[in-house]
Amino acid sequence: MIPTKWLLWAVMLWLGAATCDAGMDAVLAELPVRSKIQAEFEEFRHSPARRLPGRFSGIMRWDAERGLSLEYQRPRQQWIALTPYGSWRRTPDGAFRPLPSGGDSEVWTRLLFDVFAGRLDLWQESLEVRMHAEGTLAMRIELMPVQGGELAGLFQSMQFEVLEQQIRAISVRRDQRNRIEIRILSVDPQPQWSVEEQAAVFGPQENE
Amino acid sequence: MAERLSRCLWYAVLLITAVYLAMLDWSSVLSTNVLDLLPADKNEETWVVQQMATGSQGRVVLGVLEGPAAQRERWADGIVRDLEGSGLFVQVLRLDRAHGFTEPASIWWEDRFALRFPLWLSAAASDGGVDPSNLDELVLYAVERLEAFYEDPGYTAFEGLVPGDPLLLMYSGLLNWMETGLAQRFAGAQGHTLFWLEQKDSPFSEAGQGIVLDRLLGIPGLWAAEDVALRWRFSGAVSFATANRTAMQREITRLNLLIPLLVIAVIGLSLRQVRILIPVVCVVLSGVAGASVATVLLLGQLHVLTLVLGSILAGVAADYALHLLARNGSLRSVNKPLLIGVFSTVIGFLVFLLSDLPVLRQMAIFVAAGLIFAAVTALVLSLWVAPVPNRRASSVSLPDIRLKASWLVPAWLVAVSGLFWLTWRDDLSDLEYPLPEVRLTDQTVRAAFGDDGAQVPVVVFAHQRDTMLHRMEYLLTAIEPAGPVGPTVDVWLPGSVQIAFTRQWLEQHAAPFAQALYHELYQAGFDPEAFESFFADWSTFVEAASDPAYFDAAMDRFQYSLNGPLAGLYPAANTGQGLHMTTLILEGADQQELLDKLAGLDGVLRLDTLGYLNQLFSRYRVELWIFSAIGLLLLTLVVVLAYSWRLLPWLVGLPLATLLATLGLLGWWLSAVNLFHLVGCILGFCLALDYGLFALTCKQLSERFPRSVHLSAATTFTAFVLLATSSIPAVQALGLTVALMVLLGWFSSLMLFQQFTPSTESIRNLNE
């Protein structure tokens, strides 16, 4: 099962916003230490500027010690590594450069920093459970900004679709025309990575 | 009656001097800034260097918070609030927080068309291979870039900008910013949060030192009560200036306590009584007081180094009192050499007023005025203070130095041959107290900011912004393949050629371009309606761009909005001086090769403030030699007029030989000498001349060798040997040189006394 908090974190980072290691630490501290997961994903970005959503797909890798690596394969190869030691973008020559901080506005960036700093109290949760006829259990977790909170007006909601203890889809909605939908296509719960692969995937680590 | 009147008059002068000194605001008058010792605005290069060192960039304090991320995150904003609340800083920025740069960012956004569109148009032609007059190609180029933007998952954080900026004017500038790595530096190395602080007051002023330093040192107190593992470090001119000032004051206090004690001991042991000390102290104090008042009145400032060099004055002033009060015979045997000595030394030092170097001008006024004050006080005192009887006259005999030329001349030649080994090295850091701990902290803090010493900061300057941009472009071409490691100002600023082309292009294509872009956006799957704000702003831009001042005004606005480290890239304060400056950081595999390339470029200067100032300072050594030579000529003239040209070899030749021997010995002894050894030589020359004058006069009057010369040499030697133990390299150099000169000068005066045979004519002259 993919931990909800991790996905929440991943989603926030998918938004492309800047990160700060402080926030990362706070979130990482709450994640299960055992996890090492690899999953294929498909992502649709709905933007007010485009009539059709942008489609991305790739592989995500999670290592409790090293962090999260997103390998986008389409529409073009792109690596992003979000680790407790920093956030990186891998350049075509294999070098890791820090992921740019900043955002489309100063307020947007500041609020995201606060989220990464672990201020999840700005969200209110709701849970919807459905039992299907064939006996499978489906859940929908929805996070909405607390009314009057700092995030109110910036996000409408985040939704996690869970089926048979696996998160299958995530949706982040800023407004009607600005949202991201992620579908988890397949999950390898026990991936094996070589040391070289780990270095190439997760980027610089403090202890190296 | 006249004597009493003049005495009263002089006491009144001294009283006024003392009152004036007591009422002075010493915190504003006394300077510790080494830059005050250098000439102001002599040429563009000097001005640029001084501006970088003393402008707002000179008031910057860099701060680093180290520790676990969560704890840093918790306390970093507290640091900002604390420092902002202190009122001591005009800027307190956390560099990892974008909102510190809100103003430049918003100005950049508002003026994005003026600042970026000419560059975009130029890039479309050069990088995209597009003919800007072919609108179909141009809009296709624009939309393809936009599509590429949306294909990059890493940068869509900037997606919110796109509706107002489908041409990605801002985004491409930001990319340039990120690719140059400065953003990485701002973010700070792992485990660091970086702070950029700008002091309200200069770190060289009282208000900008102690209180600021206390506030910065008190930062750890914010979390002292809690169990946190945070470490706060900072560095800036304030660290050096305050530590330097404190150390210098401690050093000067130490010397000022020890020197009088030793002088008292020497006088007490020599004369077996200490009552003479009271007039000696009065003479020295009046000399220092008069010197300070004259310097402040004429120059408005007194540098702490002038006070240190002013020990010259104390040494010579004490001699005047000793010559008068420890004389062997009549006042007549002392008056003439004393007056000639004062006159010649004052003239010798006043020549330095012609120098461009403020430190020399200050020293000239300080020493000259102080000597006049001291001499007059000594003369006034000698009228009513009886000389100290020479109780030991019968038991003391002169050392026999009837030296044979057979070994004296070779000894002198050996000493002088050290001149061949004499090398000069002027280093402004000699003026400062060595502060290894502060320097180490500075290195650590700078390393956290990405300065590992491998980069070469360069300033490009010109009277026109366009020329500056051209120079920078040329520089970046000339130093290929080494490139800038930080963002350059051309990320923001278009040149005049690009602006002129844009104006022309707008006149013909502005409206059809907007229509074609709208259409192409739709064709590519975008919703043109989403770009409504862009099209509205475009119309405003097209209208405003017809104003000839539009682009320049936008660039000025942007320049003045820059803050934090950005302000250092394009300092706004400099436009008032008619110079545009920008800094960029270069990195090359071979630094020497890089520097060689820079050397041949106009309006390009390596930003090595200390190195440049050292170079500037060393230029003035030549000036010091020239003025010393002029002073020597004037002094010779005084001696010729007062005595006879036949005495020149004795009175001027011997001190000159002493000076050469001293320099030679320094050549043997030290690896390098500097400006302060030279200043010591000048003082030593004056003292040696004085000793010679007194010895010669006594010889002509058939009196004993003046014991005042022994006493003066002993006290001066003691005082300057003590100065030679100072930790301040400049004071050490001065002390060592003068001590050597005094020793050799005293020796040469003994030689003069024993070898010189006065002619009948000279005795008659003296009597006349």
Side-chain angles (χ1 to χ4, degrees), chain A residues 14-18 20-23 25 43 45-52 56 72 75-76 78 80 84-86 88-89 97-106 108-110 113-114 117 174 177-178 206, chain B residues 68-70 72-73 96-100 102 147-163 175 178-181 183-184 187 189-192 521-528 530-531:
Chain A
W14 252 318
L15 290 173
C20 70
D21 52 359
D25 276 0
E43 177 183 330
R45 296 192 184 188
H46 298 264
S47 159
R50 291 193 293 191
R51 298 200 303 272
L52 294 172
F56 298 84
Y72 286 93
R76 57 177 156 148
Q78 178 72 273
I80 294 172
Y85 316 112
W88 317 97
R89 185 173 69 90
R97 305 287 301 261
L99 202 65
S101 62
D104 58 357
S105 74
E106 180 269 335
W108 166 241
T109 310
R110 182 169 58 80
F113 270 123
D114 290 341
R174 286 184 67 184
R177 300 186 63 190
N178 194 346
E206 192 176 51
Chain B
R72 275 187 289 124
E73 189 57 28
D96 61 339
R97 288 290 168 92
H99 60 86
T102 305
E147 285 176 323
F149 169 83
Y150 272 107
E151 286 177 1
D152 187 339
Y155 286 127
T156 47
F158 306 106
E159 193 181 351
L161 299 174
V162 171
L175 267 192
M178 293 166 206
E179 295 298 330
T180 51
Q184 180 184 354
Q190 176 58 38
H192 295 76
L521 284 169
Y522 184 82
Q523 290 293 321
F526 290 95
D527 179 2
F531 300 98

Side-chain angles (χ1 to χ4, degrees), chain A residues 4-6 9 33 44 107 109 115 121 141 144 161 183:
Chain A
T4 307
K5 279 180 182 170
W6 165 62
W9 177 45
V33 185
F44 295 90
V107 177
T109 310
V115 171
D121 53 324
I141 303 165
M144 293 177 73
E161 300 281 351
R183 290 179 198 155

Side-chain angles (χ1 to χ4, degrees), chain A residues 123-180:
Chain A
W123 302 87
Q124 58 187 17
E125 294 178 39
S126 66
L127 181 67
E128 180 188 326
V129 183
R130 293 188 305 274
M131 179 74 82
H132 292 280
E134 64 272 27
T136 53
L137 190 68
M139 280 193 300
R140 176 185 288 171
I141 303 165
E142 185 167 18
L143 297 180
M144 293 177 73
V146 173
Q147 269 199 335
E150 288 180 65
L151 295 180
L154 280 170
F155 285 104
Q156 280 188 348
S157 66
M158 287 193 201
Q159 286 182 357
F160 301 88
E161 300 281 351
V162 182
L163 185 64
E164 292 181 319
Q165 297 186 319
Q166 288 275 3
I167 292 184
R168 303 291 184 175
I170 308 156
S171 168
V172 182
R173 187 183 289 260
R174 286 184 67 184
D175 55 49
Q176 186 58 34
R177 300 186 63 190
N178 194 346
R179 63 184 197 278
I180 294 176

Side-chain angles (χ1 to χ4, degrees), chain B residues 646-662:
Chain B
R646 289 193 189 89
L647 296 179
L648 274 184
W650 294 102
L651 292 177
V652 180
L654 274 178
L656 203 57
T658 303
L659 187 147
L660 291 174
T662 303

